[in-house]
Amino acid sequence: MSSERGGNQTVERAAAVLRAFTHGRPALRVSDVASALDLNLSTTSRLLATLEAAELVRRDPVSQLYELGPAVISMAGVALNNDPVYRQSRPVTQRLAWELGLGANVAVRRGGELFYLQNVEGQLAHKSYSLLGQHNPLHATAMGKCLALGMTAKERAQLLGAGPFPSYTPRTLTTPEALEAELAAVAERGWATEVEELALGRACIAAPVRDHTGDVVAAISVSGALSAIALHDREADLGRRIIEAADSVSVGLGYLGPAPAPRASAATSPAAAEGGHRS
């Protein structure tokens, strides 16, 4: 049993080392990793050497800083290509980015945040980096609002808390009441917008993606600079486009549309009931 616990601890430590590399800190010294994990330098060095041999990390020959290695990219590719939302949405986001020139994105929910599963940049939205794998808050993003529709109001309250929610700009929705009112509007029109709620100078429009059960499993959006997306002039047109894109992905996931309301039988229809009274 002690051997099993020791093996588990080694795996947990190795996983913690890999998680220490983030978008904010993609390259780390041995001492950085040791400090982050509260380990001594010799233990950390052995862990990094083992991970380097497996190509899960690599050491830059000039700076001697460690980075995530090529094996991580290979595994990420396997995970992505095995994800049905990614597979169904990839051609849709590529087409949106090409036709509109904007960034086209797909996200799923991970707890109280959205997780970018796909990011394709059009000619008006070039970035030198990918949003893939990054996280953003639900309450301050258009895709996050769509994903929040996949929960009940009670579930949202339990997940997000009583507020105030973190504020990123003066336009961020920071109270549950404001968010619930916005979600009601999103459910009514079919798309969500975000105008400088997460970052100044940026806007986004998104729609929910549903699976074969009808549950919201993802969100798809187009985003860009205020001048490029021009929501004030073409929100309705972009809303129609993003709903069509979301519907296309949903159909690919087996969604057949809302279940039709049950039809009243002849025996229980108002006319039949009235006829019965006449007799």
Side-chain angles (χ1 to χ4, degrees):
M1 289 295 292
S2 60
S3 175
E4 183 179 341
R5 285 195 298 270
N8 288 342
Q9 185 182 53
T10 300
V11 172
E12 290 168 358
R13 284 179 171 177
V17 168
L18 296 175
R19 287 196 297 268
F21 296 90
T22 64
H23 290 285
R25 301 188 72 189
L28 300 170
R29 298 169 297 185
V30 175
S31 58
D32 295 328
V33 178
S35 177
L37 274 59
D38 196 23
L39 297 173
N40 60 53
L41 288 174
S42 60
T43 299
T44 305
S45 293
R46 288 196 300 271
L47 284 168
L48 286 167
T50 301
L51 292 171
E52 184 178 14
E55 296 190 326
L56 291 167
V57 300
R58 64 178 292 273
R59 182 168 47 179
D60 186 275
V62 177
S63 68
Q64 297 299 302
L65 295 176
Y66 282 92
E67 307 166 344
L68 292 176
V72 175
I73 299 174
S74 297
M75 289 188 290
V78 172
L80 279 174
N81 289 324
N82 192 51
D83 189 290
V85 173
Y86 177 84
R87 292 200 308 269
Q88 292 296 332
S89 63
R90 181 172 169 80
V92 178
T93 53
Q94 289 176 325
R95 185 172 66 250
L96 280 174
W98 173 260
E99 292 176 354
L100 299 174
L102 300 168
N105 317 284
V106 175
V108 294
R109 184 172 66 85
R110 293 289 182 268
E113 296 182 310
L114 66 83
F115 176 86
Y116 282 92
L117 199 62
Q118 195 160 172
N119 166 229
V120 182
E121 298 293 341
Q123 66 269 29
L124 301 178
H126 286 307
K127 288 188 179 76
S128 59
Y129 59 90
S130 173
L131 294 174
L132 182 65
Q134 293 194 36
H135 299 256
N136 268 328
L138 297 181
H139 71 281
T141 57
M143 285 197 294
K145 295 170 188 173
C146 292
L147 293 169
L149 290 177
M151 299 179 282
T152 65
K154 182 178 180 180
E155 289 170 336
R156 288 191 290 268
Q158 291 174 339
L159 183 66
L160 301 178
F165 307 139
S167 178
Y168 301 94
T169 77
R171 304 189 65 151
T172 306
L173 303 179
T174 58
T175 67
E177 295 76 15
L179 179 60
E180 289 299 319
E182 177 68 9
L183 292 180
V186 172
E188 177 69 23
R189 67 176 176 253
W191 70 79
T193 61
E194 163 209 334
V195 181
E196 298 189 295
E197 294 173 44
L198 183 65
L200 295 175
R202 305 286 299 177
C204 180
I205 187 166
V209 172
R210 300 177 184 274
D211 67 3
H212 67 284
T213 69
D215 290 340
V216 175
V217 294
I220 187 168
S221 75
V222 290
S223 61
L226 290 178
S227 58
I229 195 168
L231 271 181
H232 58 286
D233 290 330
R234 54 174 182 162
E235 179 179 334
D237 178 58
L238 288 177
R240 176 185 57 79
R241 295 285 293 272
I242 203 66
I243 287 175
E244 289 175 353
D247 286 348
S248 175
V249 179
S250 297
V251 169
L253 294 173
Y255 180 58
L256 300 177
R263 296 177 60 184
S265 66
T268 58
S269 67
E274 184 179 348
H277 289 309
R278 283 197 301 269
S279 64

